[in-house]
Amino acid sequence: MKNLHLIISIIIVIPVAIFYGVKPDYLFEVSLNSTDELNIFKAIMGLYLGFATLWIYGILKPAFWKTATISNMIFMLGLAFGRICSITVDGIPTTIFLLGTIGELILGIFAWYQLKKQKALSS
């Protein structure tokens, strides 16, 4: 249960990263027309894969669990915050993005809960 938030995040983030980098128009209504736009999506792919790698490392190396969990919490809550800003300013997105917002909030809060729980257990 200690690693559940990291495992779920890895399972979701790695495929999303690959779609962002390889075929962003497969799941999303985007039209990338320039090398710069393609470059942005590849950079996002790299960022997502980098974080997923840290989360895997945190599972495999207990000394890095806290770092992995803090980064997971910030990553998920940061995405949720950005989406909430967009909902407020731009309007309601499609269902997949609404579900993403809810999932990111849940995973971010669950990571925070796991940090608090592990701190209490080690005290």
Side-chain angles (χ1 to χ4, degrees):
M1 187 71 161
K2 177 182 174 182
N3 293 322
L4 185 60
H5 61 292
L6 296 173
I7 293 166
I8 292 169
S9 296
I10 292 163
I11 290 169
I12 294 169
V13 166
I14 289 176
V16 169
I18 293 167
F19 277 113
Y20 277 174
V22 177
K23 195 81 171 130
D25 57 345
Y26 182 75
L27 289 178
F28 314 111
E29 292 183 34
V30 295
S31 178
L32 304 177
N33 299 311
S34 73
T35 303
D36 289 347
E37 292 168 324
L38 292 167
N39 186 273
I40 289 168
F41 274 81
K42 298 281 190 306
I44 292 169
M45 176 186 68
L47 183 64
Y48 277 37
L49 292 174
F51 273 102
T53 301
L54 176 59
W55 304 334
I56 292 167
Y57 199 67
I59 292 169
L60 298 176
K61 302 285 184 181
F64 287 91
W65 180 87
K66 184 176 179 181
T67 301
T69 297
I70 290 170
S71 74
N72 182 255
M73 179 183 71
I74 293 169
F75 182 91
M76 292 301 170
L77 293 177
L79 287 173
F81 174 76
R83 292 188 197 280
I84 291 167
C85 287
S86 176
I87 289 168
T88 304
V89 173
D90 307 320
I92 306 295
T94 59
T95 303
I96 193 168
F97 289 107
L98 285 175
L99 293 173
T101 305
I102 294 165
E104 290 154 1
L105 281 170
I106 290 169
L107 284 168
I109 292 167
F110 188 49
W112 173 78
Y113 167 78
Q114 290 291 62
L115 281 169
K116 301 284 277 181
K117 180 178 169 187
Q118 291 306 312
K119 184 178 180 184
L121 290 174
S122 64
S123 297

